[in-house]
Structures are given as structure tokens and as C-alpha cells.
Amino acid sequence: MKQNYQIILNNTIEEITKNHLRPTLLLHSCCAPCSSYVLEYLSRYFDITIFYYNPNISPKEEFLKRVNEMKRLINEMPLNQKITFIEGKYDSERFFTMSKGLENIPEGGERCFKCYHMRIEETAKAARKDGFDFFTTTLSISPHKNAQVLNEIGNNVAQKYGVNYLFSDFKKKNGYKRSCELSEIYNLYRQNYCGCVYSKSQALIREKNSVNNNV
């Protein structure tokens, strides 16, 4: 059954606020633009550590560029707490092995779901290892990402590893719009594709079709 994950998040925040708690949160980040609003929002309630684990990003230079933008945002954004940063291992071979046989599936399909799972599960493992109270991902802020699937994956791996998953749909409450505003304010590098070679090729096709349609 489809859930309203923003309501679930609201209830979680209400509960921790009522009990005067400030839990630790391991936040999987896909990029600085998507993280901007999530940090602005959640830093009021959680002690946050960013976990940058994205072996899908290609080439490595693109990965490193996004890492540097994430670090710059953390340093420049005025938040009411210090954000800790963990850079996950860049293991592109793991992504290509995972996506074997799914190369031609359109973006937003099974290949993407497996990629969500790979990154969220790695976050859950790290959250258990380091004793975090919660873990979640910034991925749901994108209008191109399936929040239902993301949260189902998060719930499943939370049960597997015994760590609380923070249910969320960060595009709600104008979250995506606010992330675009913050990206302009901090002049963030904002890419037009998710990060993998398959999403990049589809972005190039969209650009080409757009140019042809405007001729």
C-alpha cells in the first residue's frame, strides 16, 4: 500500500522532539544539491554525518568533483551543528557488475532499483558498525526517484541490520524547489544526470532531441 512518507517523518520528528532527543543520523548523500535542503531541514533535529557512497558515478573525476562540492557545501552552509563527512569507497566495478544485463533498461527501472539497494544497504552496514540511531538517503528529493521503492528498500535493510531507517520523501514540502534555490545561493555544481554512464547517455539523447525539436 502506498504510504505518505512525509507524514511518517513528521511523526518521527514530533516523537524525538517531545522526548527532547537528538539522535545521530547517517545520511547517504547522492550529491551536494540534493543534500542542501535535507541538511537544512534535518539538522534541526539530528546530529548528522554525511556518508558519500556512490560507486555508480562515472568517471572517477566526476565522483571526486561531487565529493568536493559536498565538502564545500558543508563548510559554507550556516547550520546549527557541525556536519561530519565520510567518503565511501569508489568501487565502480561493483556498480557495473550489479548492472550487468540491465544496461539497456530505461532510467527509473530495475537497474536503478538495484543501485538504490546497493547504496542504501552499504549505508545501513556503516550505520550499524558505527552505532548510529538512524540512517536514510537524500535520493527521495529527486522527482525522478521512486520514493515508494526507496523507502521499501530502506525498511528491508533496516530490519536486516537492526538499525532504524528514517522514512522520508524529501521532495515534499517543496523540498526539491528549495534544493534548487540553495544550489543557486551556493553556486553548486548541478549535473543533469544521476551519475552513471547509462543516465548520462540518456541525458545526452534528451538534449539532442530538445535541440532538434527547437530547430
Side-chain angles (χ1 to χ4, degrees):
M1 185 176 70
K2 193 170 184 180
Q3 301 270 11
N4 186 321
Y5 293 105
Q6 181 60 48
I7 290 177
I8 297 175
L9 176 58
N10 289 345
N11 291 340
T12 302
I13 289 174
E14 182 180 336
E15 184 70 19
I16 65 174
T17 302
K18 181 177 71 176
N19 291 300
H20 307 288
L21 302 174
R22 190 170 176 85
T24 55
L25 170 68
L26 187 62
L27 176 63
H28 168 261
S29 166
C30 55
C31 64
C34 289
S35 301
S36 58
Y37 164 73
V38 181
L39 288 173
E40 181 182 68
Y41 179 21
L42 294 184
S43 63
R44 290 173 283 175
Y45 312 106
F46 297 88
D47 287 333
I48 300 174
T49 295
I50 291 285
F51 182 52
Y52 197 86
Y53 179 74
N54 298 291
N56 56 307
I57 296 175
S58 186
K60 188 172 184 178
E61 290 75 18
E62 176 73 16
F63 175 88
L64 294 174
K65 188 170 185 177
R66 297 189 193 196
V67 165
N68 290 333
E69 280 296 89
M70 190 68 250
K71 290 178 178 177
R72 181 171 70 84
L73 177 66
I74 290 172
N75 289 329
E76 294 182 7
M77 197 171 182
L79 300 169
N80 56 5
Q81 64 145 299
K82 178 177 173 57
I83 306 296
T84 306
F85 181 83
I86 299 173
E87 182 177 334
K89 180 181 178 183
Y90 181 65
D91 186 6
S92 60
E93 285 307 310
R94 182 179 180 187
F95 169 75
F96 287 117
T97 299
M98 178 276 299
S99 58
K100 189 173 182 180
L102 303 172
E103 295 88 348
N104 297 320
I105 290 180
E107 195 171 1
E110 186 63 25
R111 185 186 64 247
C112 293
F113 298 163
K114 284 181 174 292
C115 186
Y116 299 167
H117 193 285
M118 175 181 66
R119 292 185 278 171
I120 293 172
E121 183 169 33
E122 200 67 25
T123 308
K125 288 179 184 178
R128 183 181 69 174
K129 175 178 174 289
D130 293 333
F132 283 86
D133 298 314
F134 289 88
F135 73 98
T136 195
T137 178
T138 62
L139 286 167
S140 70
I141 199 169
S142 169
H144 305 295
K145 300 293 187 293
N146 189 316
Q148 183 76 20
V149 172
L150 285 166
N151 283 282
E152 287 174 359
I153 292 170
N155 185 46
N156 289 337
V157 298
Q159 293 181 40
K160 180 178 179 180
Y161 293 100
V163 185
N164 294 312
Y165 178 74
L166 188 68
F167 291 95
S168 54
D169 187 355
F170 293 120
K171 69 178 71 67
K172 301 290 187 180
K173 297 178 65 175
N174 289 318
Y176 177 71
K177 179 183 177 184
R178 179 59 178 160
S179 74
C180 293
E181 293 170 353
L182 289 167
S183 294
E184 289 190 16
I185 291 170
Y186 294 101
N187 192 29
L188 295 176
Y189 167 60
R190 194 177 187 93
Q191 52 287 341
N192 66 345
Y193 69 103
C194 179
C196 74
V197 292
Y198 313 115
S199 63
K200 185 174 184 178
S201 65
Q202 290 185 33
L204 291 172
I205 291 171
R206 287 194 299 268
E207 285 182 8
K208 183 177 179 180
N209 291 338
S210 177
V211 169
N212 290 339
N213 290 336
N214 290 327
V215 172

